[in-house]
Amino acid sequence: MPLPFLTADHAFEAADDVALPHGDHERWRRPYRPGPWRVGVAAVLLLLASFVLFAAVLIALTGSLSEAATVFGLSLLVIAGALRLLRMGVWVSSHGLRQVGLLVTRTVPWGQVGAVRTVQQPVRWLGLPRTVQGQALVLVRRNRGAEAAVPLLTTHDADFLARHEAFDRAADTVEAWAAENAG
């Protein structure tokens, strides 16, 4: 059984940051991988949740069950927040374009999409109030002006900070979905 990725005559050519191809266009998918900042923060939150769960077990063994239940509930909130943080981003399917935020999810059917394009503009750095000059992939809806454009992805968010090639690939992929499905 040959294993070409382990032999010296074939290099292992795994493409970095390339989303896996899927044949089903009905399923929602994120056309890019989550960035290292987002994954790192989620990992730290899950590590914190493990300590809080351990504390809940210790409290249950030594203290009251109501206090343990409260701490256990807190750990579940931290786990849910970390998982939601990993789910954040732009998702596409044949139904439309979905922007998943920490607390709010917005879905725009392709029939309401006027344009999806990359523009140079001030963008928020890691979602904080501070803005820097960068690129943003914006969504312009039909029957609304260009001033109401919603930024979907930016070069300085948690997925693409210091990863300009990944931003370009993700923006091109979302633009291609929009060109293919928006009528």
Side-chain angles (χ1 to χ4, degrees):
M1 179 169 119
L3 299 173
F5 59 89
L6 295 178
T7 61
D9 58 343
H10 295 305
F12 181 68
E13 297 178 12
D16 260 331
D17 299 326
V18 176
L20 297 174
H22 297 284
D24 187 13
H25 291 286
E26 297 294 319
R27 294 184 60 198
W28 289 99
R29 75 187 81 190
R30 181 175 26 211
Y32 58 91
R33 295 178 191 264
W37 286 92
R38 185 175 311 283
V39 173
V41 169
V44 169
L45 285 175
L46 290 173
L47 181 66
L48 174 69
S50 70
F51 287 122
V52 175
L53 279 171
F54 184 68
V57 169
L58 290 178
I59 291 172
L61 293 175
T62 61
S64 71
L65 290 179
S66 64
E67 293 171 352
T70 303
V71 174
F72 181 73
L74 177 67
S75 69
L76 290 179
L77 282 174
V78 173
I79 291 170
L83 293 177
R84 185 66 180 187
L85 183 69
L86 287 173
R87 184 137 172 88
M88 287 174 58
V90 174
W91 296 73
V92 293
S93 80
S94 61
H95 303 291
L97 188 127
R98 179 175 286 174
Q99 185 176 19
V100 179
L102 190 60
L103 299 175
V104 177
T105 299
R106 293 180 189 96
T107 302
V108 179
W110 289 119
Q112 293 180 5
V113 173
V116 176
R117 62 178 179 262
T118 304
V119 296
Q120 188 83 19
Q121 69 180 27
V123 296
R124 297 174 78 182
W125 184 75
L126 289 176
L128 299 172
R130 178 178 176 223
T131 59
V132 295
Q133 191 64 27
Q135 289 183 334
L137 181 71
V138 296
L139 166 68
V140 179
R141 290 185 175 199
R142 290 190 180 167
N143 302 329
R144 295 193 186 177
E147 63 275 354
V150 177
L152 299 173
L153 306 171
T154 67
T155 54
H156 290 79
D157 66 6
D159 289 323
F160 302 110
L161 187 64
R163 298 174 57 222
H164 298 290
E165 297 84 18
F167 173 79
D168 292 338
R169 280 194 304 269
D172 290 344
T173 304
V174 174
E175 287 173 355
W177 271 86
E180 179 182 332
N181 294 304

